[in-house]
Amino acid sequence: MVLKAIRTGAAVAAVVAASSLVQAEVLISDVGVDGTFISAKVGSTQGVAIPFGARDVRFRFESVRKAEAGAMRVRYKLEGFDNEWRDPIGEMVIRVRLSDAVGNLVGGSRIAFSGESPGWQGHPESAQLLSKTLTLTAPDAASSLELSFISNGGHENVGSMVIDNVRVRISANTGPSSLIEFDASTGEHMERPMGLPAKWRRDGDRPEIAQILWREKPAPHAALFLNDIFPEGAGTWVSKRTNVPIGRGDQITVEWDTAYSIGRGGKGTVQYENLAPGNYLFRVAEADVNGLLTGVERSVPVVVKAAFYQRLGFWVGLLGCTALGGAMLKWILVKRELSAKVAKAERQHLLEVERARIARDIHDDLGATLAQIAMLSELAKDEDATSSENNSLDEIFNRARSATRKLDEIVWAINPSNDNLEHLVSYLCEFTEDYLKLAKIRFRMEAPRAMPDAPLTSSQRHHLFLAAKEALHNIVKHAEATEVWLRFALIGNRLSVRIEDNGKGLPANVANDEHGSANMKTRMAQIGGSYERSSGSVQGTTVELSIPLAEVSL
């Protein structure tokens, strides 16, 4: 029997509450732990202490049979582990022998039975029968068959076995199959236990063990019975040798119904491995041949000690330490998270301060310089000069104006104070109006009445603005439009910017170019946005740019 592992410890004090040995029919003699046995003490209630970690616990017991008491079995049970009474191993056997035409043995098989069949209640005449089979393949030259039910006759082996409805089924490789019945329904003196069935005979040094038993169901009928009440010797029911049509390779199946209770008396040892910590009670009881307890019993308490980590105090302490450790860990993590948030906020603040400084410096220094260039160019145009000089001055003026516009875009893009939706819409409208005014194209704008207070990153503003600027550049350069609509809309948690014109549409070489469309798609993808364009040859072009908003609050 195998149980949960527990290692060995020191010596064990074994105690048995029992009456004197002279009066006892069963006795627990020794208790062993990992190979070390100690005699049981009679009259004490202390029990057996098994140290934590013991791998192997064994109990030695015996039945002291009085001559006048007849056959007796012993049964055992470890309360707390075994659900039912158990028996020391004793066996009864069914054997099949196959012989050739002159009686020489050419094959066979056997099955041994021990313990107690399910549903056994100690009464053979009404015991619940189980169907059993034994299958073997016929060898060469087999021509006859013999069945034996044997009480085995081992030392102190006793018990009962009912055998009913015996039959042999032969499944032939060629030709029809056959069924041979070996019942005990007919014979001489079948009303007596020692009756003689027609198809069976007795054998063994104790043939009186083989008896006739009358079964009550399904209707009263005779069955074979092994009533082994002799601790020494064996009795056997043997079928009369029967010639059967067997061919090589035929399947021979022996079928029968049975019920049994088989055990032993005398001395025995039972082993339990790796008992789990807890309280047990090892019991040894006397039983009759049919397994019914007589009421004579001995027992010994068994306590398997728990490991320190399996005790309540350990877990209470561990729970407290775990709770304290968890609280400290949580405090450390919260503190670290707060420190990280503070450091991030400080870095963000320093970044915004630096961006503001760069924007201010660019605006104040480079902006002022470019503005001066533009002013000087205007003054130069008013002075007397040749036409070619005026053309050069116009070029200076245009370049300075373009540089000023680009500088304004850069300053707007990096200024952290513009990182919100309102500034984006405002600046894009202002830029579009100025840009289209120079191209003499009418500009119309449509936006929500209440603009949400949604934060944007500088990257979102920068890429969205440049994509919109690219779309406006295509309109001015290719569309020949007279009117442009700039429409802002909030769709769910996204901002949609639609740029529509009434021009002739983009030519194929522009609509499919790798500069405008590809750049706009790439820019919008970098900020998690989308780009869509619809264009025809006469109905104008619509470009829609969409970006997700982190938060929208009206």
Side-chain angles (χ1 to χ4, degrees):
M1 305 174 71
V2 179
L3 304 175
K4 255 171 101 180
I6 306 223
R7 286 191 346 181
T8 186
V12 176
V15 181
V16 178
S19 59
S20 69
L21 182 60
V22 176
Q23 298 176 347
E25 281 90 17
V26 290
L27 174 68
I28 301 174
S29 57
D30 301 289
V31 181
V33 178
D34 290 337
T36 302
F37 283 87
I38 297 178
S39 298
K41 296 180 181 179
V42 178
S44 172
T45 59
Q46 181 181 357
V48 178
I50 307 297
F52 167 74
R55 295 185 299 272
D56 177 55
V57 179
R58 302 189 186 194
F59 299 91
R60 289 176 177 171
F61 53 87
E62 62 180 305
S63 60
V64 181
R65 181 167 55 91
K66 297 179 181 180
E68 66 275 14
M72 184 185 71
R73 290 166 53 181
V74 63
R75 311 193 75 181
Y76 65 89
K77 182 179 185 181
L78 182 62
E79 295 283 358
F81 179 78
D82 293 325
N83 294 323
E84 299 177 349
W85 286 96
R86 298 181 180 271
D87 296 279
I89 296 177
E91 290 185 347
M92 292 189 181
V93 176
I94 174 176
R95 184 178 65 196
V96 181
R97 296 168 61 95
L98 299 175
S99 302
D100 60 14
V102 295
N104 295 321
L105 181 67
V106 294
S109 185
R110 71 191 293 274
I111 296 178
F113 297 89
S114 62
E116 200 166 79
S117 61
W120 181 271
Q121 299 294 328
H123 304 287
E125 65 278 1
S126 60
Q128 176 182 342
L129 299 183
L130 307 176
S131 295
K132 297 290 184 179
T133 61
L134 172 59
T135 301
L136 64 159
T137 301
D140 291 338
S143 62
S144 64
L145 176 144
E146 181 182 86
L147 305 177
S148 300
F149 290 92
I150 309 169
S151 69
N152 201 38
H155 179 65
E156 298 288 347
N157 188 93
V158 293
S160 300
M161 175 178 278
V162 181
I163 306 107
D164 197 7
N165 196 23
V166 183
R167 54 210 179 272
V168 175
R169 194 179 305 275
I170 301 175
S171 301
N173 286 329
T174 59
S177 299
S178 58
L179 179 67
I180 305 171
E181 297 185 356
F182 291 85
D183 56 39
S185 59
T186 61
E188 299 179 8
H189 309 294
M190 295 300 294
E191 73 283 0
R192 303 175 185 176
M194 299 306 292
L196 299 175
K199 296 182 179 181
W200 295 88
R201 62 183 177 84
R202 292 181 176 85
D203 201 353
D205 56 359
R206 286 283 189 176
E208 62 268 34
I209 291 176
Q211 300 180 6
I212 295 296
L213 176 73
W214 277 85
R215 294 275 300 171
E216 300 173 353
K217 294 180 180 179
H221 65 284
L224 302 179
F225 182 44
L226 293 176
N227 185 28
D228 191 349
I229 60 174
F230 301 101
E232 303 292 342
T236 304
W237 274 118
V238 184
S239 71
K240 294 183 178 180
R241 185 177 299 173
T242 304
N243 293 324
V244 292
I246 305 174
R248 179 183 179 185
D250 290 353
Q251 293 295 309
I252 302 173
T253 303
V254 181
E255 302 173 353
W256 74 101
D257 299 331
T258 186
Y260 53 86
S261 179
I262 308 166
R264 286 195 297 112
K267 295 182 179 181
T269 301
V270 60
Q271 176 183 5
Y272 293 87
E273 294 181 355
N274 306 323
L275 282 171
N279 296 323
Y280 303 89
L281 181 67
F282 183 70
R283 301 168 61 189
V284 176
E286 179 190 78
D288 64 14
V289 172
N290 292 325
L292 293 176
L293 301 179
T294 65
V296 177
E297 179 181 328
R298 301 294 179 265
S299 64
V300 57
V302 178
V303 178
V304 179
K305 295 183 178 179
F308 70 93
Y309 55 82
Q310 295 175 312
R311 299 170 187 169
L312 180 61
F314 171 80
W315 288 106
V316 171
L318 180 61
L319 181 62
C321 292
T322 301
L324 179 60
M328 293 181 64
L329 179 60
K330 183 176 181 180
W331 178 79
I332 292 172
L333 293 177
V334 170
K335 183 178 180 181
R336 182 177 297 177
E337 183 179 358
L338 290 175
S339 299
K341 288 182 178 180
V342 170
K344 182 179 179 180
E346 291 178 350
R347 289 194 300 270
Q348 185 67 27
H349 175 69
L350 292 175
L351 179 60
E352 292 179 356
V353 170
E354 183 65 12
R355 287 172 59 191
R357 184 191 66 78
I358 293 173
R360 185 172 59 253
D361 291 347
I362 291 175
H363 183 273
D364 293 345
D365 296 338
L366 185 57
T369 300
L370 293 174
Q372 289 176 357
I373 293 173
M375 292 173 60
L376 291 174
S377 299
E378 286 288 341
L379 292 175
K381 290 177 64 176
D382 294 337
E383 297 176 355
D384 293 334
T386 63
S387 177
S388 60
E389 291 173 342
N390 283 334
N391 289 336
S392 297
L393 291 175
D394 287 341
E395 182 67 20
I396 293 172
F397 175 76
N398 290 334
R399 288 180 179 273
R401 182 182 182 88
S402 177
T404 303
R405 183 183 296 114
K406 290 181 179 179
L407 176 62
D408 183 66
E409 294 173 12
I410 295 173
V411 171
W412 173 79
I414 66 174
N415 192 341
S417 63
N418 296 325
D419 287 348
N420 58 68
L421 182 59
E422 183 178 0
H423 281 84
L424 170 65
V425 174
S426 176
Y427 186 81
L428 189 54
C429 288
E430 182 180 347
F431 173 83
T432 303
E433 184 177 12
D434 290 344
Y435 190 78
L436 295 178
K437 183 177 181 181
L438 293 175
K440 296 182 174 56
I441 298 175
R442 186 166 55 251
F443 166 65
R444 296 180 182 276
M445 188 269 290
E446 181 180 294
R449 183 180 299 274
M451 188 60 63
D453 183 16
L456 297 175
T457 65
S458 60
S459 179
Q460 285 179 307
R461 292 191 296 109
H462 176 67
H463 287 292
L464 181 59
F465 171 76
L466 292 181
K469 182 179 177 181
E470 183 74 27
L472 293 171
H473 173 74
N474 287 338
I475 293 173
V476 172
K477 187 175 181 180
H478 303 287
E480 299 181 9
T482 60
E483 183 176 82
V484 173
W485 277 91
L486 181 61
R487 305 181 191 273
F488 297 91
L490 290 173
I491 303 175
N493 203 34
R494 298 180 69 88
L495 170 68
S496 172
V497 180
R498 293 172 61 92
I499 303 172
E500 305 172 4
D501 68 75
N502 65 348
K504 65 179 183 179
L506 297 179
N509 65 327
V510 176
N512 299 319
D513 76 327
E514 293 300 328
H515 295 289
S517 294
N519 286 342
M520 283 188 274
K521 287 180 180 179
T522 300
R523 289 188 183 280
M524 298 309 295
Q526 289 178 352
I527 58 175
S530 62
Y531 161 81
E532 293 183 7
R533 180 181 65 194
S534 60
S535 178
S537 59
V538 296
Q539 76 275 22
T541 301
T542 298
V543 172
E544 182 175 4
L545 308 174
S546 175
I547 62 170
L549 298 177
E551 180 182 354
V552 175
S553 59
L554 297 176

